[in-house]
Amino acid sequence: MSWDREGCERAVAKASSYGMDFLEIALLDPPSVDADHSRRTLEAAGMRSVCSLGLPQAVWASHNPDGAVDFLKGALDKAAAIGAEALSGVVYGGIGERSGKPPTTAELDNVARALTEAAAHAKSLGLLLGIEPVNRYESHLLNTGAQAVEMIERIGSDTLFVHLDTYHMNIEEKGIAQGILDARDHLRYIHLSESDRGTPGWGTVQWDEIFATLKAIGFDGGLAMESFIDMPPELAYGLSVWRPVAESEAEVMENGLPFLRGKARQYGLI
């Protein structure tokens, strides 16, 4: 529910018990995180990490690029102190940010300016910065792999990468492989999330198409299982998750994780 000392210790211990390679840390409130404790806990377990976030409404980059830059710089500093390898997610806006209209030129200009400065700061810290396009119900700014690529190529920073998510792709792409093909030159990370955000393999996502396409493009980035069981209220609101998407942690970890590992092995990705 939160990345405090107790949450950190529990998550790292659980991830280790399931033989996971890395953890994605939801950095929703960067100043509150004890970076030294997190780094020690992760290092003791030999656990790699990345951090992720969506911007708070007060610093949505579309209308407050300076505030977004300050927030992202603080989050990047915290991610570096934790020992993470990247910061990713909806770093260009908020989860649930919708104007009711297509993005304006001014909004996208503000996003590009904020990400340009954030990418430069990430590079100075030796971190990568990922852009995750999300579905139309969660943002009006970037919804597809092609849009994320357009933003990255506009900025021109080799620190930026595309972070795809199969849940969003299942809604937004012409075919679920299309986002992978469009983003192939910049794709470094992918959330493997089921159609209902529950247990992977228990929904309607076309997993063979996804893994075959990742293999075809020579993908060697991060494969992250994403399932939402327990979430802070502000995240649940932005994601519009109103009911349990899985019965328990055990259901997800003992069914979804082996399913995804099996598919990754089948297609030679691990």
Side-chain angles (χ1 to χ4, degrees):
M1 289 288 283
S2 60
W3 192 263
D4 52 18
R5 283 182 170 232
E6 181 182 357
C8 168
E9 291 171 6
R10 178 182 183 278
V12 172
K14 283 285 188 178
S16 296
S17 72
Y18 286 112
M20 297 177 73
D21 299 306
F22 69 95
L23 272 172
E24 181 179 316
I25 300 167
L27 208 58
L28 301 178
D29 182 18
S32 72
V33 173
D34 185 334
D36 290 338
H37 173 266
S38 293
R39 178 187 280 269
R40 290 195 305 270
T41 305
L42 290 161
E43 287 180 348
M47 185 67 62
R48 299 165 67 185
S49 65
V50 298
C51 293
S52 64
L53 56 78
L55 295 176
Q57 184 170 357
V59 295
W60 284 352
S62 61
H63 69 266
N64 184 4
D66 292 332
V69 169
D70 289 342
F71 187 89
L72 288 169
K73 284 183 175 180
L76 286 161
D77 289 341
K78 188 70 70 168
I82 289 171
E85 298 174 29
L87 175 69
S88 194
V90 191
V91 298
Y92 53 87
I95 300 172
E97 177 182 0
R98 299 183 304 275
S99 68
K101 300 177 182 179
T104 65
T105 299
E107 286 177 326
L108 294 177
D109 286 348
N110 283 340
V111 168
R113 180 159 71 86
L115 290 179
T116 297
E117 293 191 42
H121 190 68
K123 189 166 189 173
S124 74
L125 297 170
L127 291 176
L128 296 174
L129 181 62
I131 296 175
E132 181 187 10
V134 295
N135 71 76
R136 69 193 70 185
Y137 309 109
E138 294 180 31
S139 175
H140 69 293
L141 296 170
L142 300 176
N143 305 128
T144 67
Q147 287 178 305
V149 167
E150 183 178 5
M151 179 61 68
I152 286 174
E153 293 186 347
R154 171 180 177 172
I155 294 168
S157 170
D158 59 4
T159 301
L160 293 170
F161 65 91
V162 176
H163 162 183
L164 291 179
D165 183 310
T166 56
Y167 172 81
H168 302 297
M169 293 159 65
N170 199 40
I171 296 170
E172 295 295 340
E173 303 291 351
K174 296 298 185 185
I176 200 157
Q178 191 64 50
I180 296 170
L181 296 174
D182 287 343
R184 62 188 301 168
D185 293 336
H186 300 280
L187 182 61
R188 299 287 297 273
Y189 195 65
I190 186 166
H191 277 165
L192 303 171
S193 185
E194 193 47 89
S195 55
D196 65 348
R197 292 187 138 142
T199 305
W202 288 24
T204 62
V205 167
Q206 300 299 305
W207 292 107
D208 286 295
E209 183 177 348
I210 289 165
F211 281 98
T213 309
L214 290 172
K215 176 64 175 179
I217 69 166
F219 180 77
D220 62 357
L223 297 163
M225 182 178 75
E226 183 181 55
S227 178
F228 295 108
I229 303 173
D230 297 318
M231 290 185 294
E234 64 272 22
L235 191 57
Y237 177 82
L239 297 172
S240 297
V241 176
W242 314 119
R243 60 180 175 78
V245 294
E247 289 187 5
S248 64
E249 170 196 298
E251 177 186 291
V252 173
M253 301 303 293
E254 294 172 14
N255 294 283
L257 185 58
F259 171 81
L260 293 176
R261 281 184 171 147
K263 286 296 178 187
R265 290 192 185 99
Q266 178 183 347
Y267 288 94
L269 291 168
I270 60 174

